[in-house]
Amino acid sequence: MSEGRPSHDEGATRLSLPKAESMKRRESSSRKIEPSNTAETSESNFSEDTAKPRQRLNTSKVLYWKGDPVEQPTRFENWRWHQLQLDLARLNKIENSAFFDSAGRSIEPAPITVPEKAFDMVLSRYIKYCVIAKKLDNCYNYLIHPQKRRLLRACVSAVFSRILELKNELVQIDQREYQFLDDVLQCYGCTQTDVELGIPLFIREERRKVLTDREKVLSVIFNKHINSGSVRTTLQEKPMAREEAILLIQRQTRYYLGAIKSEMARRVLRPMPTLQRECVQKHVLSKWRVYTIRKECFEQKKESDLFLDMILDETVVSERRNTDILSLTSRIKAEDNENQYELDKIVAENETFGLEGPFIAWSIHYNIKQWLLEVRDVLGNFSNFPEEEEGGSLLIFAKKELRDVADELSMQMVNGKFVYPPTEKKKKPKKEKKIPKKSPWNVDSSFEYLIDETDCMREMNERTNEYNNFWYYRDDSTNIAQVHDRGLLKEDIRPSVSNQIRLQVDELIREELADLLYAIDRVPRKGPKVDKKKEKKEKPDRKNKGDLTAGQPVEELFEELVKNGIIRHSPKAELSDFIGDYSYSGNALDRAKRDPLPSLADVRRMVTEFAVLPLSSEALHQSAPLIRKLLISGIRGTGKKLLLRAICHETGATFFDLTPKNLEGKFDTPAGKKMLMHLILKVGKAMEPTVFWVDECEKLFLKKRDKTDTAKPAQWVNALQKTLKKGIKNGDRMMLIGTTSLPILTKQKKFNKFFDRIIAVPYAEYPSRYVAWKHFISYNLKAPVPAYFDLSSLTKVTSGYSIAAIKQTCKDVITEERKTSIKFFPLQVSDFINVIWKLDPIFLEEQEQFLAWYNNTPLAKLRQQRIHQEEETNGAG
């Protein structure tokens, strides 16, 4: 089944070796030993005891591995991959049990009328899929078999799509964008980090080359226009300040002067007298004793902290380094195996064409001719052969017998509707998934949740069947290098090869059928086909009728937007830079009907699920619910723009700045607005993924318009609404992201209705502030936080301050000069308090205003109404 487990025969062989040795020893002991041969017997016993185990070890190694032993990561990852596939199959079986009975017959799932039961069911599946998805993505780092990686890649994509679907269902059931997972995670023995997702590795690998090439092109264009002064760089990284440059020059100068002085002192100083030398020796010995005692105390304290799991062991860090090295070597081997797979694929395709191609062509040709003759026997004339656009011979090879075909033809002839082969009815395209989905909560506050069978579930079921058919029973222990299986490769190639041969046979059949019609029925040949592509080029294209920039390449349009400052370069920022911890009291507050705000780590998870994952992959965007417009709102200094930059960097998105202040003086006329909307859609689709940013988006929906504002932001609302609604469909990885710090100033009904999803970034609570202080102090010190430092008191005292204020305080306190004096003057809590109190905190009035606005959002209103009704019913009961 996997490399890490021996087969039954091999295990039996390994177990039989010790038994054979014991039988030999019994036989030797049962024999009578003569006194004269005692030396010989002792030598033989000595050689048997020493040489036999070594020989047994080598024999078992050869029998088990059938050659050199495989490396440990490959063995372990194959075994872990099999375990994860089985876990995924079990979870898929649980989900399919709602749609199929034990005999495999389809059934209608019964609706769930209890909200708590539906929420627990969806949340438990969500957590299980998150754990499996993270483990599968980690397993992809080390798996090097190319065909296994393809199957694993499809499974990971389906699992991530299912997670996004379950997240949408959680939002509709719970009526808020975030959920607290503490209680459920305790039941499954998981932590919050176990279910925190990121972009899958295979998506990053596929897009790495595309993004690097695009980055080169963008850097050339940006440098060209930045040097000419036509582009403002508001979002680019700031250059070094004047004070920092002066400090840098001073440090270099002091270092140079200090080196000169030390060299002069070394030359000038003379040998010490004897008495002075003894005093210096005593002083050094006393200092050394103090140092050794302090070092022993430090080691004892470190051992006690390690025993209590209060600090991280160095072996853990070394293990992480080893795993990084192993993942790098695995990627190199995986790339080599992938290149070998692609080369062998071309060779196998040519071999299949050469060896099996003639037989495939003959069988297809024979079946088509037999069908034509049988239809002529039934109808009396030859049927029209379908064209390539209609499907060709694929329409002929329907799963029907000749009698069924004759019955259908006779009925059509009686009704006067004879058309054969029958043309398939064009299916209507699937409607796009809208957000929000129809809520399970009805108007009368009754609840009815219906379980839907989605495409992701069917995809996972197909991949599970593929795993069971090809890999579950396969003994891959001899494949030490983990190269591809040539037999499976040929099976994958045969459909494409037969399809190419079928197209050639169809053309040959059309020519032969024309000859038969002329020879038997005297039907004249049709004239040569007119090339429709040339006609289309000559005729004006109706699709491009509304294209305002038809004929212009995308590069010119992109350069024009860069010149106008609409496309900008976003600074690099990762999602992990958004520091924050999880809320550990959310479920308790929920049970008390307090309806708490999310923590900063919950915000990071929402950004990943609503923006990063859908924008990272076209497959995930198609399967996930469609989100066109996302709002990131929060009090000042909470990191909204950091989240925006992280979304752009993680997904490699093209950044459009559509802030009304930035659009002032550009495209102000009605024709200019139309042109701008056309440009952002056309360039955005060509340079996917794309992020449209509107800063201070509250100005689009102000209660009282500011007449002094020359940008007139309200004029862009209708244009953006119509453009994004018509231009962004499922699969178009484009999104408008709005950021605001003052949502209380807006017309809340229109403002909240404009966005599909709302992410509220709250002020930092105690866990997030604690993590932030610890991170930024260690980051500026370039060392862990000292054990004597009272981090808890500092976190408690600085309540109300944002993460940005904490970051700035650590930067101001821990300077280069302060680092050099820490040994003599240790860090104190007062050092940070005296600096942070100079900054403005987040006042209680701001927090109350933000909470009042958030309670008026659509989902929050519905949730509060439901909680109020539940309290009334419980009170009446």
Side-chain angles (χ1 to χ4, degrees), residues 244-285:
E244 294 179 1
I246 293 172
L247 289 174
L248 180 63
I249 295 171
Q250 289 177 351
R251 283 196 297 270
Q252 295 293 334
T253 306
R254 284 196 294 269
Y255 175 77
Y256 177 69
L257 294 176
I260 294 175
K261 289 180 181 179
S262 63
E263 182 66 21
M264 291 174 64
R266 188 181 65 81
R267 294 178 181 177
V268 171
L269 289 177
R270 296 176 181 177
M272 294 182 182
T274 306
L275 294 175
Q276 189 176 2
R277 190 184 304 169
E278 291 178 355
C279 293
V280 171
Q281 289 176 354
K282 290 180 181 179
H283 182 71
V284 170
L285 286 174

Side-chain angles (χ1 to χ4, degrees), residues 362-466:
W362 175 84
S363 61
I364 294 173
H365 188 270
Y366 177 77
N367 290 329
I368 294 174
K369 287 185 71 175
Q370 285 295 115
W371 179 85
L372 289 172
L373 294 175
E374 289 172 357
V375 170
R376 188 176 186 279
D377 293 339
V378 175
L379 301 179
N381 57 1
F382 288 105
S383 174
N384 294 327
F385 194 78
E387 296 294 334
E388 183 180 347
E389 293 80 7
E390 299 174 356
S393 57
L394 289 178
L395 290 177
I396 297 174
F397 297 134
K399 295 181 180 179
K400 295 179 181 178
E401 295 182 358
L402 186 60
R403 294 179 182 177
D404 300 333
V405 176
D407 293 339
E408 289 182 2
L409 292 176
S410 60
M411 289 297 294
Q412 290 176 3
M413 292 175 68
V414 170
N415 296 330
K417 299 179 180 179
F418 171 67
V419 176
Y420 203 84
T423 56
E424 294 183 353
K425 294 182 180 179
K426 293 183 179 179
K427 296 181 180 180
K428 295 181 180 179
K430 293 182 179 180
K431 294 183 179 179
E432 64 183 27
K433 299 177 183 178
K434 296 183 180 179
I435 290 294
K437 184 186 173 183
K438 186 179 179 181
S439 176
W441 296 92
N442 298 323
V443 180
D444 56 349
S445 73
S446 61
F447 182 84
E448 188 176 272
Y449 174 70
L450 294 172
I451 305 173
D452 296 331
E453 186 181 11
T454 60
D455 296 335
C456 303
M457 298 169 62
R458 301 186 190 95
E459 178 70 16
M460 282 188 288
N461 194 13
E462 291 178 2
R463 299 304 172 183
T464 302
N465 293 333
E466 182 181 349

Side-chain angles (χ1 to χ4, degrees), residues 286-327:
S286 63
K287 290 291 184 181
W288 180 254
R289 289 194 190 99
V290 172
Y291 170 74
T292 53
I293 292 171
R294 284 182 178 178
K295 188 175 181 180
E296 289 178 0
C297 295
F298 179 76
E299 292 294 333
Q300 291 177 1
K301 185 178 183 304
K302 187 177 179 181
E303 288 179 1
S304 63
D305 291 343
L306 281 172
F307 179 75
L308 298 173
D309 290 338
M310 295 178 65
I311 60 175
L312 191 65
D313 192 0
E314 293 180 357
T315 56
V316 178
V317 180
S318 62
E319 287 178 1
R320 289 179 182 174
R321 291 173 183 170
N322 292 334
T323 53
D324 293 339
I325 295 170
L326 289 174
S327 63

Side-chain angles (χ1 to χ4, degrees), residues 431-581:
K431 294 183 179 179
E432 64 183 27
K433 299 177 183 178
K434 296 183 180 179
I435 290 294
K437 184 186 173 183
K438 186 179 179 181
S439 176
W441 296 92
N442 298 323
V443 180
D444 56 349
S445 73
S446 61
F447 182 84
E448 188 176 272
Y449 174 70
L450 294 172
I451 305 173
D452 296 331
E453 186 181 11
T454 60
D455 296 335
C456 303
M457 298 169 62
R458 301 186 190 95
E459 178 70 16
M460 282 188 288
N461 194 13
E462 291 178 2
R463 299 304 172 183
T464 302
N465 293 333
E466 182 181 349
Y467 167 75
N468 293 332
N469 294 332
F470 295 108
W471 298 108
Y472 184 73
Y473 297 101
R474 186 181 294 271
D475 184 12
D476 205 22
S477 59
T478 57
N479 190 5
I480 299 171
Q482 288 293 288
V483 294
H484 60 277
D485 190 339
R486 192 174 176 81
L488 291 179
L489 175 60
K490 285 190 174 182
E491 289 183 6
D492 293 338
I493 285 173
R494 281 193 186 97
S496 62
V497 171
S498 61
N499 189 33
Q500 296 178 24
I501 295 173
R502 183 189 60 79
L503 295 176
Q504 298 176 6
V505 173
D506 286 355
E507 292 295 329
L508 181 62
I509 287 292
R510 290 188 185 96
E511 295 178 2
E512 291 182 0
L513 183 59
D515 295 337
L516 286 172
L517 288 173
Y518 180 75
I520 298 173
D521 298 335
R522 296 299 177 181
V523 178
R525 283 177 171 272
K526 295 181 181 179
K529 290 184 178 180
V530 181
D531 193 356
K532 296 181 180 179
K533 294 183 180 180
K534 292 183 179 180
E535 289 185 352
K536 287 182 180 179
K537 289 181 181 179
E538 293 174 0
K539 294 180 181 179
D541 193 357
R542 293 182 180 179
K543 293 183 180 179
N544 296 329
K545 187 176 181 181
D547 192 355
L548 302 178
T549 56
Q552 293 185 2
V554 180
E555 289 77 11
E556 292 183 4
L557 304 178
F558 181 87
E559 194 168 350
E560 182 181 352
L561 291 175
V562 171
K563 190 183 298 184
N564 287 312
I566 294 173
I567 294 180
R568 295 188 179 181
H569 178 73
S570 176
K572 292 183 179 180
E574 295 182 357
L575 208 55
S576 58
D577 296 338
F578 187 76
I579 306 298
D581 201 3

